[in-house]
């Protein structure tokens, strides 16, 4: 069984008026199928309002599905007995770095998760140290989060999740509020956790450049999964992506334009090096 | 019409342990009708700089002249200046407070002492020029989507009828389509209403595409000031201060190193495409 | 002005006082404050002074830094002194026009001023040597018995520590919104009281919305990290009494006994 298996997952936001009559129904997830294997790096791409954040919240059981089934790590997410185990096994990092740091000292914040799940004190210290090291923030352990940069705060948030020793982390637009340097910092940390520690990563984003690092990409639009595949396969369909209000990395777009102009550049170029090599071979 | 900054310095928390020299000897001349980009990493002083231009922050030393008038003169009307130099902060939708979008956009013109009719007229024009569809005008701003809220907030500043429009990262947090829509609207405003635009951005691709003059801030000083082409020619130096050139600029340099005669000064996708096609056809 | 208030600011150092358990320090402060209102004569004053000076020296916080904290209460001190000086009935010493200074008034004025100064200095030792987090931890544990009468002690402590974390963020946010509205021509200063109150709307509405959004985000983030109240929670830094705390309690008992004895026999 896959680590995450969603079948026809539906989520409806129902708005009611004062008399409890249904005023409107917004289908944020519309029969979504999602499969993620243990150790995979999966990106979920979609414009604002495509339903990708709603999907993320389901994986951590912060929302309950209106229909369909969701299994996380072999456990049915609808069974209330599995709630805490799933939350512990799929950690979650949110968009706004300020609004997810609870304590006034970095190391105490990282300890918050382990404290909640009743990890003994000596073990907490070990975990805090390990997770802060794994995101390169150990030298800030006694700092106040208020004086850190956005990228550093977000890495503290990741450490806070890692200290619960989850099998999977779900990152809901973790870089949307960061500058380019902060963005790279955070993504490098995430990629390292995936490659070195085998943590399953689900990255929700609308930045195309970030998706290139993933093993597989899901594209969402209007609550549905509309495309999926390797980044190369997805980015080779430039025009389809544009119809979903999305973009492709500038280099991919250039390759696509050159191709349209008659140059025999291969489909789905992702990086500068690839385009340089392709053009040199043609020249 | 112009804004002149003469040896502007600004020091935060002067004479305390937290003293930060945020701006050092800034000399700039901003002419009427320019489209300027300001780049620099977080903490380079760019936000401090733009808040000087409408008098929200007063320089520790040096002078600022708007249309030849010293804005630090005791009888200079600061409120008037804030109307003429419109500043759109980062995440401007966080300042919306009225019950309807329309009422919120009227806030600025009303503060300038305009009549109700005149204020509403301004609000109409402003909401039109940001391209917010009319069905949203009389809704609560909090019912709008992220991109729509952002436009409503920009309209709130435009309704002051500014001569200069400064936008601090107007596309932060928006998706690609939302980003393009906002920037295209701004470019259109610049073209049609001849407003001077100053765009603070983290995206090299965006500034390369839209602006005609690029100012690079680093550690409180102006590092480079020129056309995007001139500035991005220094791509190696930019990297040393934590910035970068657009991806295509790097590509062109790498192609040249491999013996393909690509144009090394290309900064936009269109230029790169033309130059590569030319290299291949000759 | 705000910068002058040293109460509530932490002064990092590794003195003996810093290392004491926050519960011990809370108790010490309580006993010390009690003693301030027990002493009534010069001998008692001497005992209290010795106690205070000893604690300040042990805490390694510079005296100048602590005295700066008194600036904020100078006005209160003067008012207290003046009231006591002129309004205490008793044996007349001097008469200025209609104002009479009595022997008792002089004594009361001196003692009240000293009491207030000592109160501020003493309690600032507590906040200067204890981080806000230790303080809330200490309060949580000291007040734990109240749990039995259904006081949600853990929740109160958690709220306090979250408030401490978000106060600086909200202050920064206020500044940002204020600037954004100033840029739209808002005026927060001129006009009468009603107009001023009305001008706060564009500041307060966005601030409240932002605070609610943050609270909502934070609740979600806490839930995602398995927070479910105080039950079954462990601590990274559990409070544990050490031998130094025992010594501190002994010294405290001695000090308190001395204060009471001096009051009775001198």
């Amino acid at each position: 069984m896959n680590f995450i298996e969603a079948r026809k997952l539906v989520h409806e936001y129902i708005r009611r008026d004062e008399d409890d009559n249904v005023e409107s129904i917004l289908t944020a997830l519309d029969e979504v199928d999602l499969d993620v294997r243990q150790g995979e790096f999966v990106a979920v791409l979609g414009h604002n309002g495509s339903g990708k954040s709603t999907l993320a919240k389901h994986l951590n059981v912060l929302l309950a599905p209106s229909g369909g089934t969701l299994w996380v790590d072999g456990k049915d997410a609808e069974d209330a007995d599995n709630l805490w185990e799933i939350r512990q096994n799929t950690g979650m990092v949110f968009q706004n770095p300020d609004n997810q740091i609870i304590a006034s000292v970095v190391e105490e914040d990282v300890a918050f998760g382990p404290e909640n799940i009743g990890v003994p004190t000596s073990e907490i210290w070990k975990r805090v140290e390990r997770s802060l090291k794994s995101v390169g923030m150990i030298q800030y352990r006694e700092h106040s989060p208020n004086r850190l940069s956005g990228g550093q705060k977000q890495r503290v948030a990741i450490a806070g999740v890692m200290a619960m020793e989850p099998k999977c982390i779900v990152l809901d637009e973790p870089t949307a509020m960061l500058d380019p340097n902060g963005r790279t910092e955070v993504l490098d940390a995430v990629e390292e956790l995936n490659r070195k520690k085998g943590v399953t990563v689900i990255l929700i984003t609308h930045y195309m450049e970030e998706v290139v690092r993933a093993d597989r990409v899901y594209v969402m639009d209007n609550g549905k999964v509309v495309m999926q595949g390797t980044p190369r396969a997805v980015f080779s369909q430039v025009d389809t992506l544009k119809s979903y209000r999305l973009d492709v990395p500038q280099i991919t777009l250039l390759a696509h334009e050159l191709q349209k102009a008659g140059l025999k550049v291969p489909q789905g170029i992702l990086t500068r090096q690839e385009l340089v090599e392709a053009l040199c071979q043609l020249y | 019409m112009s804004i002149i900054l003469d040896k502007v310095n600004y020091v935060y928390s002067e004479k305390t342990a937290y003293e930060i020299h945020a701006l050092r000897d800034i000399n700039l001349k901003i002419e009427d009708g320019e489209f300027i980009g300001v780049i620099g990493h977080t903490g380079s002083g760019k936000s401090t700089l733009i808040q000087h231009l409408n008098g929200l922050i007063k320089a520790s030393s040096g002078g600022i002249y708007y249309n030849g008038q010293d804005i630090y003169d005791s009888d200079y009307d600061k409120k008037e200046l804030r109307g003429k130099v419109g500043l759109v902060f980062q995440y401007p939708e966080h300042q919306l407070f009225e019950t309807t979008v329309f009422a919120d956009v009227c806030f600025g013109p009303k503060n300038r002492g305009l009549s109700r009719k005149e204020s509403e007229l301004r609000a109409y024009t402003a909401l039109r020029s940001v391209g917010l569809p009319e069905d949203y005008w009389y809704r609560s701003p909090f019912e709008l989507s992220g991109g729509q809220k952002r436009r409503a907030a920009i309209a709130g500043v435009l309704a002051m009828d500014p001569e200069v429009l400064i936008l601090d990262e107007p596309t932060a947090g928006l998706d690609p389509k939302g980003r393009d829509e906002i920037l295209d609207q701004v470019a259109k405003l610049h073209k049609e209403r001849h407003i001077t635009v100053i765009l603070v951005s983290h995206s090299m691709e965006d500034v390369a595409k839209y602006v005609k003059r690029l100012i690079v801030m680093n550690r409180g000083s102006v590092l480079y000031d020129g056309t995007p082409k001139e500035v991005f020619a220094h791509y190696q130096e930019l990297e040393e201060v934590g910035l970068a050139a657009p991806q295509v600029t790097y590509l062109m340099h790498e192609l040249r190193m491999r013996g393909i005669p690509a144009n090394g000064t290309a900064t936009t996708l269109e230029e790169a495409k033309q130059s590569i096609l030319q290299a291949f056809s000759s | 002005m705000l910068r002058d208030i040293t109460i509530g600011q932490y002064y990092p150092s590794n003195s003996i006082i810093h290392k004491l358990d926050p519960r011990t320090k809370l108790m010490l402060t309580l006993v010390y404050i009690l003693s301030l209102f027990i002493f009534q004569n010069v001998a008692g004053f001497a005992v209290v002074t010795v106690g205070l000076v000893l604690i300040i020296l042990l805490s390694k916080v510079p005296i100048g830094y602590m005295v700066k904290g008194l600036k904020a209460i100078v006005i209160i001190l003067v008012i207290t002194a003046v009231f006591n000086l002129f309004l205490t009935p008793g044996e007349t010493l001097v008469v200025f026009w209609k104002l009479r200074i009595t022997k008792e008034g002089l004594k009361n004025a001196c003692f009240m001023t000293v009491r207030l100064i000592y109160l501020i200095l003493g309690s600032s030792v507590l906040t200067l040597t204890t981080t806000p987090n230790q303080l809330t931890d200490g309060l949580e544990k000291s007040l734990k018995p109240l749990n039995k009468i259904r006081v949600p002690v853990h929740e109160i402590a958690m709220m306090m520590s979250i408030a401490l974390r978000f106060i600086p963020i909200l202050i920064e946010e206020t500044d940002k919104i204020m600037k954004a509205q100033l840029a739209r021509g808002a005026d927060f200063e001129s006009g009468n009281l009603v107009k001023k109150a009305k001008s706060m709307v564009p500041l307060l509405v966005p601030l409240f919305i932002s605070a609610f959004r943050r609270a909502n985000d934070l609740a979600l983030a806490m839930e995602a990290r398995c927070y479910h109240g105080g039950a079954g929670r462990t601590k990274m830094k559990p409070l544990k009494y050490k031998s130094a705390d025992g010594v501190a309690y002994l010294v405290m008992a001695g000090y308190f006994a001395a204060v009471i004895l001096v009051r009775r026999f001198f």
Side-chain angles (χ1 to χ4, degrees):
Chain A
M1 196 172 192
N2 286 318
F3 184 77
I4 288 172
E5 270 192 28
R7 289 287 168 271
K8 294 194 186 294
L9 196 64
V10 176
H11 191 88
E12 286 168 340
Y13 289 105
I14 299 172
R15 230 170 95 163
R16 291 173 193 275
D17 61 14
E18 282 116 34
D19 306 322
D20 227 24
N21 299 317
V22 175
E23 220 174 40
S24 65
I25 298 179
L26 178 81
T27 311
L29 291 182
D30 193 354
E31 307 206 334
V32 168
D33 289 345
L34 179 77
D35 291 278
V36 181
R37 285 191 304 278
Q38 179 80 56
E40 239 187 328
F41 184 160
V42 169
V44 179
L45 201 58
H47 63 80
N48 292 343
S50 61
K52 56 189 196 311
S53 281
T54 306
L55 179 63
K57 291 194 181 94
H58 276 273
L59 303 181
N60 198 268
V61 212
L62 291 169
L63 288 175
S66 321
T69 58
L70 172 67
W71 290 72
V72 180
D73 197 18
K75 291 172 196 74
D76 185 355
E78 260 183 294
D79 189 343
D81 291 342
N82 294 331
L83 177 70
W84 300 110
E85 212 171 325
I86 292 179
R87 283 198 185 151
Q88 186 183 333
N89 274 327
T90 58
M92 185 133 182
V93 177
F94 298 88
Q95 186 185 85
N96 190 325
D98 275 325
N99 298 357
Q100 55 186 321
I101 295 181
I102 291 121
S104 309
V105 181
V106 166
E107 61 178 7
E108 288 175 15
D109 185 71
V110 176
F112 182 73
E115 287 178 339
N116 288 334
I117 53 179
V119 175
T121 300
S122 59
E123 173 68 14
I124 294 181
W125 281 86
K126 283 183 208 151
R127 286 193 184 192
V128 166
E129 188 158 336
R130 257 202 312 263
S131 13
L132 278 172
K133 271 187 186 152
S134 73
V135 295
M137 288 296 292
I138 190 78
Q139 66 273 40
Y140 296 97
R141 63 184 304 164
E142 283 171 20
H143 285 226
S144 153
N146 290 336
R147 300 236 160 183
L148 300 180
S149 74
Q152 289 172 329
K153 281 183 208 165
Q154 214 54 322
R155 283 191 284 155
V156 170
I158 296 174
V161 166
M162 286 308 293
M164 295 169 68
E165 305 199 328
K167 293 179 184 159
C168 169
I169 48 177
V170 181
L171 302 108
D172 187 4
E173 299 195 45
T175 58
M177 298 180 75
L178 308 182
D179 65 10
N181 295 336
R183 239 179 261 165
T184 322
E185 252 171 59
V186 168
L187 284 174
D188 287 349
V190 169
E191 201 174 347
E192 183 158 318
L193 290 177
N194 176 252
R195 304 271 182 260
K196 287 203 179 145
K197 311 222 160 175
V199 180
T200 311
V201 171
I202 297 171
L203 174 70
I204 315 268
T205 185
H206 56 234
Y207 288 112
M208 309 301 136
E209 291 77 9
E210 299 179 354
V211 177
V212 174
R213 303 174 184 234
D215 299 322
R216 261 177 339 113
V217 183
Y218 281 84
V219 180
M220 288 194 64
D221 183 61
N222 216 358
K224 290 189 177 70
V225 170
V226 287
M227 292 166 87
Q228 60 168 304
T230 60
R232 198 177 303 281
V234 168
F235 285 144
S236 59
Q237 302 175 52
V238 175
D239 296 321
T240 323
L241 277 170
K242 283 203 168 167
S243 71
Y244 298 128
R245 294 185 52 128
L246 292 169
D247 220 343
V248 290
Q250 200 184 26
I251 291 294
T252 310
L253 191 59
L254 177 61
H256 178 73
E257 294 276 316
L258 289 172
Q259 203 178 36
K260 274 208 291 196
L263 284 187
K264 289 198 173 51
V265 184
Q267 289 277 348
I269 293 269
L270 294 181
T271 65
R272 229 160 61 207
Q273 284 72 21
E274 285 176 19
L275 187 55
V276 170
E277 291 308 323
L279 287 173
C280 285
Q281 271 177 18
L282 287 173
Y283 193 66
Chain B
M1 260 184 251
S2 65
I3 306 175
I4 293 170
L5 280 80
D6 181 29
K7 283 197 183 149
V8 169
N9 277 281
Y10 185 72
V11 186
Y12 277 104
S13 319
E14 208 166 355
K15 290 179 190 126
T16 70
Y18 301 115
E19 185 173 300
I20 300 167
H21 211 136
L23 293 180
R24 295 168 195 272
D25 286 331
I26 304 282
N27 293 306
L28 278 177
K29 185 167 187 194
I30 295 163
E31 299 284 357
D32 192 25
E34 281 197 282
F35 197 148
I36 299 178
V38 179
I39 59 173
H41 61 82
T42 311
S44 61
K46 53 190 192 329
S47 290
T48 311
L49 175 70
I50 56 172
Q51 289 179 48
H52 275 80
L53 300 181
N54 74 346
L56 274 180
I57 298 183
K58 190 177 184 300
S60 306
S61 73
I64 297 179
Y65 303 88
Y66 189 80
N67 292 341
Q69 280 177 298
D70 185 350
I71 68 164
Y72 296 140
D73 258 355
S74 53
D75 56 350
Y76 191 86
D77 187 351
K78 278 267 178 60
K79 232 173 140 179
E80 183 73 16
L81 176 71
R82 283 175 199 155
K84 284 179 180 161
V85 183
L87 175 54
V88 179
F89 277 88
Q90 227 180 74
Y91 300 104
E93 59 274 22
H94 291 175
Q95 76 199 20
L96 299 172
F97 69 98
E98 277 283 10
T99 45
T100 69
V101 170
F102 193 78
D104 203 283
V105 177
C106 287
F107 180 66
K110 266 202 255 160
N111 285 331
R112 284 191 84 172
L114 298 177
S115 70
R116 205 181 120 184
K117 211 172 160 192
E118 181 72 14
S119 297
E120 287 181 352
L121 204 67
R122 290 267 189 94
Y124 267 113
T125 328
L127 281 165
R128 281 250 163 73
S129 55
V130 295
L132 190 71
E134 217 159 318
D135 345 341
Y136 297 111
W137 292 8
Y138 303 101
R139 290 199 203 168
S140 158
F142 308 107
E143 285 176 28
L144 271 52
S145 76
Q148 289 161 346
K149 268 190 214 166
R150 178 99 23 120
R151 286 176 198 216
I154 294 176
V157 172
L158 272 179
M160 316 261 295
D161 206 10
E163 293 164 352
V164 180
L165 180 65
I166 308 172
L167 301 116
D168 190 357
E169 283 190 68
T171 61
L174 295 183
D175 61 24
K177 189 82 177 290
R179 179 195 68 204
D180 290 348
E181 282 168 357
I182 294 266
L183 290 177
D184 285 342
Q185 290 292 352
V186 170
K188 207 171 131 196
L189 271 172
H190 168 73
K191 215 170 144 192
E192 287 174 1
R193 285 169 62 178
H194 307 289
I195 297 180
T196 308
V197 176
I198 301 174
L199 176 71
V200 177
S201 177
H202 276 306
S203 163
M204 304 304 146
E205 282 75 19
D206 287 348
V207 289
K209 189 170 162 193
Y210 290 99
V211 310
K212 294 183 191 72
R213 176 179 168 196
L214 190 53
I215 295 169
V216 183
M217 295 290 297
N218 184 46
R219 292 167 171 237
S221 308
V222 174
L223 184 65
Y224 296 112
D225 181 355
T227 63
K229 271 194 203 331
E230 288 163 3
V231 170
F232 287 134
H234 299 281
Y235 66 100
Q236 280 152 332
E237 290 91 335
L238 286 175
E239 260 171 42
E240 278 164 29
V241 299
L243 296 168
Q247 285 291 317
V248 292
T249 309
Y250 289 98
L251 178 81
M252 301 311 265
H253 282 282
E254 282 161 6
L255 286 176
R256 285 175 72 86
M257 282 200 302
R258 301 285 290 265
I260 298 176
N263 174 7
T265 65
T267 53
T268 65
L269 191 125
E270 196 49 36
E271 285 170 357
K273 179 183 154 191
Q274 293 309 333
S275 151
I276 292 174
L277 288 177
Q278 207 180 359
F280 272 82
S281 64
S282 62
Chain C
M1 181 69 193
L2 278 171
R3 210 166 287 149
D4 287 338
I5 300 172
T6 45
I7 276 208
Q9 281 185 9
Y10 178 65
Y11 184 90
S13 167
N14 57 351
S15 74
I16 303 169
I17 305 289
H18 280 77
K19 282 180 194 151
L20 284 180
D21 190 287
R23 285 169 295 176
T24 313
K25 282 189 266 188
L26 277 166
M27 197 63 201
L28 272 176
T29 312
L30 199 70
V31 167
Y32 169 78
I33 292 173
L34 270 178
S35 73
L36 286 183
F37 291 92
I38 289 173
F39 84 81
Q40 271 185 332
N41 49 31
V42 180
F45 166 69
V47 175
V48 173
T49 308
V50 169
L52 179 66
V53 169
L54 204 69
I55 292 275
I56 293 179
L57 287 180
L58 283 175
S59 75
K60 290 190 184 162
V61 179
I63 278 272
Y65 193 81
M66 303 195 67
V67 172
K68 245 189 4 192
L70 291 174
K71 262 201 245 167
I73 60 150
V74 165
I75 296 170
I76 302 175
L77 285 180
V78 171
I79 292 173
T80 319
V82 167
F83 269 75
N84 275 297
L85 196 58
F86 293 113
L87 299 178
T88 316
E91 191 187 324
T92 309
L93 285 180
V94 208
V95 181
F96 290 113
W97 180 51
K98 277 184 181 170
L99 297 169
R100 207 157 51 96
I101 298 180
T102 62
K103 198 176 162 195
E104 285 76 10
L106 192 63
K107 189 181 152 199
N108 272 357
C110 286
F111 276 163
M112 272 324 276
T113 315
V114 165
R115 276 189 182 118
L116 273 175
I117 292 176
Y118 279 25
L119 182 75
I120 296 294
L121 288 180
S123 40
S124 63
V125 172
L126 173 70
T127 54
L128 284 165
T129 61
T130 321
T131 63
N133 279 21
Q134 288 173 331
L135 212 54
T136 44
D137 272 3
L139 272 174
E140 182 181 352
K141 214 152 179 192
S142 310
L143 298 180
K144 211 155 200 181
L146 292 182
N147 245 339
K148 291 208 179 80
I149 52 163
R150 304 221 172 160
V151 179
V153 176
H154 166 77
E155 281 74 10
I156 292 171
M158 180 58 82
M159 281 195 276
M160 274 174 65
S161 61
I162 288 175
L164 286 169
R165 151 119 180 85
F166 278 88
I167 285 169
I169 293 176
L170 287 176
I171 289 176
E172 204 177 300
E173 182 123 10
T174 311
D175 184 56
K176 252 189 234 165
I177 298 170
M178 203 161 190
K179 275 184 173 169
Q181 304 300 26
L182 280 175
R184 291 210 280 166
D187 190 343
F188 294 113
E189 269 143 29
S190 57
N192 57 23
L193 213 60
V194 179
K195 209 180 153 217
K196 261 190 195 164
K198 257 179 113 179
S199 74
M200 295 310 272
V201 172
L203 177 64
L204 291 178
V205 172
L207 193 62
F208 272 105
I209 290 170
S210 150
F212 279 118
R213 193 181 48 234
R214 285 181 191 281
N216 198 26
D217 282 6
L218 192 72
L220 211 58
M222 288 171 75
E223 229 184 297
R225 281 161 82 183
C226 294
Y227 179 72
H228 50 274
R233 253 187 132 235
T234 47
K235 291 238 163 202
M236 180 189 192
K237 297 173 180 170
L239 296 179
K240 249 190 269 163
Y241 280 126
K242 292 183 217 98
S243 48
D245 294 298
V247 175
Y249 273 108
L250 279 180
V251 172
M252 177 167 68
Y255 164 82
F256 200 59
V259 172
I260 289 178
L261 287 177
V262 163
R263 182 184 159 123
R264 296 205 84 179
F265 297 110
F266 284 87

